[in-house]
Amino acid sequence: MSFFKKILILGWRIWFYLLVLVSLLIMFPLLLIFTASEKLYPYFFKLARVWAKTILYGMGFFPIIKYQQQLIPNKSYMLIANHTSMTDIMLMLCVVKTPFVFVGKKELAKLPIFGFFYKRTCILVDRNNAHSRKAVFESANQRLLQGNSICIFPEGGVPDDISVVLDSFKDGAFRLAIEHQIPIVPMVFYDNKKRFPYVFFKGSPGRMRAKILPFIETKGKNINDKKELREKARHMILEELKSKF
């Protein structure tokens, strides 16, 4: 890679963090109000979607979304997708129009400003702590009873090896979906790794494709069906990633 291209990518990467920071500062008063109570979460969610679109379009990313099945308003779902980039959060907020709550790693709560609102609105998990994992289920149960959906990236994080197309899935999302008898909504993010990977001097503006696949029903399923649902969901997403729609 030429020195000039590295400078361009560096500036573009810095612009991402500035865009995130400045947009949060501009929205800070409203975000502070809407995160003060779980009852106000639907208003926070609407603002979060505006924020997500600001980041994506501001970076030169153009979401292209296909729906093989539509989500019904006021119904709870378990939302899952492959996880390859920091932009996965923004794209998920663009794809899904009805309120949902992220389950994510607690380390993100340390980020300036973003982390402040992240820990006020998301369900945080320490994957090395069994007590924390149990608390996640209790928090998720509460949010589902409030009528929200839950979003979990079932790989449990971004694979260290960027050649991995799709890592193995953890059980949490599928256990929760079975316990609440809610549909699992598999989604595929095709381009996020290419557009904005964790490798610093890679990435570029361009289209950012996503597809909602047919839902996986859990009605009548029990905890013994967890592995079957997990592998079915992973197979669906993996096949789509290979096809590149």
Side-chain angles (χ1 to χ4, degrees):
M1 182 185 296
S2 69
F3 177 75
F4 180 68
K5 188 173 182 180
K6 282 188 176 181
I7 293 296
L8 285 177
I9 293 178
L10 176 62
W12 182 67
R13 284 270 181 169
I14 292 172
W15 170 242
F16 172 81
Y17 296 107
L18 286 174
L19 197 56
V20 170
L21 180 62
V22 171
S23 60
L24 287 174
L25 287 173
I26 291 171
M27 296 179 178
F28 191 90
L30 286 175
L31 289 170
L32 200 59
I33 293 169
F34 294 153
T35 58
S37 167
E38 289 184 1
K39 292 180 180 179
L40 297 174
Y41 187 81
Y43 300 101
F44 163 80
F45 183 79
K46 289 180 181 179
L47 196 60
R49 293 192 75 232
V50 172
W51 171 78
K53 291 178 181 180
T54 299
I55 303 303
L56 293 184
Y57 286 109
M59 289 296 293
F61 301 135
F62 303 100
I64 300 171
I65 304 165
K66 291 188 177 181
Y67 298 86
Q68 292 190 332
Q69 190 168 343
Q70 295 285 341
L71 282 79
I72 300 171
N74 303 316
K75 182 175 180 179
S76 295
Y77 298 92
M78 176 58 64
L79 311 172
I80 63 170
N82 55 306
H83 194 20
T84 58
S85 168
M86 285 183 281
T87 58
D88 295 341
I89 292 173
M90 293 83 170
L91 187 56
M92 183 67 75
L93 286 165
C94 284
V95 172
V96 181
K97 300 174 183 178
T98 56
F100 66 85
V101 179
F102 282 107
V103 174
K105 55 186 180 182
K106 70 170 190 175
E107 289 81 5
L108 291 179
K110 298 176 183 178
L111 295 174
I113 303 180
F114 173 85
F116 174 76
F117 293 111
Y118 176 79
K119 66 184 177 184
R120 284 166 70 97
T121 57
C122 299
I123 300 169
L124 307 188
V125 58
D126 179 356
R127 292 188 173 89
N128 297 317
N129 186 311
H131 177 74
S132 173
R133 293 197 298 271
K134 182 180 178 181
V136 165
F137 281 96
E138 293 172 357
S139 297
N141 287 336
Q142 180 182 342
R143 302 310 288 269
L144 284 167
L145 290 171
Q146 292 170 353
N148 297 299
S149 294
I150 297 292
C151 176
I152 297 178
F153 294 108
E155 290 169 276
V158 177
D160 293 329
D161 183 355
I162 63 171
S163 68
V164 173
V165 177
L166 187 67
D167 210 344
S168 58
F169 281 6
K170 305 294 190 295
D171 289 335
F174 307 96
R175 177 181 162 189
L176 265 173
I178 290 170
E179 286 182 356
H180 287 268
Q181 297 286 281
I182 57 175
I184 298 165
V185 181
M187 284 178 245
V188 185
F189 296 165
Y190 297 87
D191 305 303
N192 292 23
K193 183 188 288 189
K194 178 181 178 182
R195 293 284 162 248
F196 204 78
Y198 278 89
V199 179
F200 197 80
F201 284 104
K202 288 189 177 181
S204 65
R207 64 180 183 170
M208 199 172 257
R209 299 168 299 162
K211 183 189 282 187
I212 290 186
L213 304 180
F215 303 167
I216 301 172
E217 291 296 336
T218 60
K219 285 189 177 180
K221 301 291 185 180
N222 60 51
I223 201 67
N224 295 322
D225 300 308
K226 179 177 60 178
K227 181 178 179 181
E228 175 194 340
L229 295 180
R230 184 190 71 208
E231 293 309 312
K232 180 178 180 180
R234 185 177 182 277
H235 177 76
M236 289 172 68
I237 293 173
L238 183 59
E239 290 303 304
E240 277 295 324
L241 285 171
K242 290 177 178 178
S243 73
K244 299 285 187 183
F245 94 70

